[in-house]
Amino acid sequence: MALLMGPEEQLPFADIALPTREFSQRQLDFERETARKLGEWGHTSDRAHRLVLAQEAHDIIVPLNAEIAADSHIRALVDNRSALTDFMMSLPAKAAICRMRMSAHEDTNFRWHIGDPNDVTALGTAAAYCDIVVAEKRWGSILRRSAPHLTAHVLSYLRDLPQLLLK
């Protein structure tokens, strides 16, 4: 189990700096713009899911296209919307991040805050690969709804950690 904590300026390992406020603000603006678009287009859960999947697929589209251009077997994995969805959801961290963002964007009352995009990336990645993740109540609840797809046990209270470690 790894525990990451440290001063506001940097994480305690390898002098890796925390994201800048500007970077966090750009991510927050992106999520708020996503929510605005969904409201403008007529909000539905399906539309929220499809938009988040399209946004998340954007990160891997260049390498995918390069493989397809090289006449790779990958073409069948992304040949249609259903196949692309299955492919995206087969990537553990990407799937956890997608599910967290989808869940947030499904809820028209969800309000994004400055640290939320960083939480999604860190918690989604951890939940996909770690044994235990401790998250604040809101993200913990969202992650627990995806429990069948995750490796991690998700807790929202540190006081529950010793009992889980004894199992």
Side-chain angles (χ1 to χ4, degrees), residues 19-101:
T20 64
R21 179 109 178 136
E22 293 78 18
F23 178 77
S24 296
Q25 186 63 52
R26 280 194 309 273
Q27 289 182 302
L28 176 62
D29 292 344
F30 178 78
E31 295 299 354
R32 288 179 173 169
E33 179 63 12
T34 298
R36 188 198 64 73
K37 286 177 184 175
L38 287 167
E40 182 181 295
W41 297 342
H43 189 278
T44 67
S45 289
D46 181 62
R47 202 167 272 141
H49 286 206
R50 287 188 290 131
L51 180 56
V52 166
L53 277 169
Q55 290 170 335
E56 292 294 330
H58 185 265
D59 291 346
I60 62 171
I61 205 72
V62 171
L64 274 177
N65 283 337
E67 284 294 316
I68 290 168
D71 208 21
S72 169
H73 66 282
I74 288 180
R75 177 178 300 280
L77 295 175
V78 295
D79 225 12
N80 58 54
R81 185 169 76 187
S82 177
L84 181 56
T85 298
D86 291 346
F87 177 71
M88 291 291 294
M89 300 312 267
S90 75
L91 305 169
K94 186 63 85 172
I97 290 167
C98 283
R99 285 186 181 96
M100 291 176 74
R101 290 188 62 227

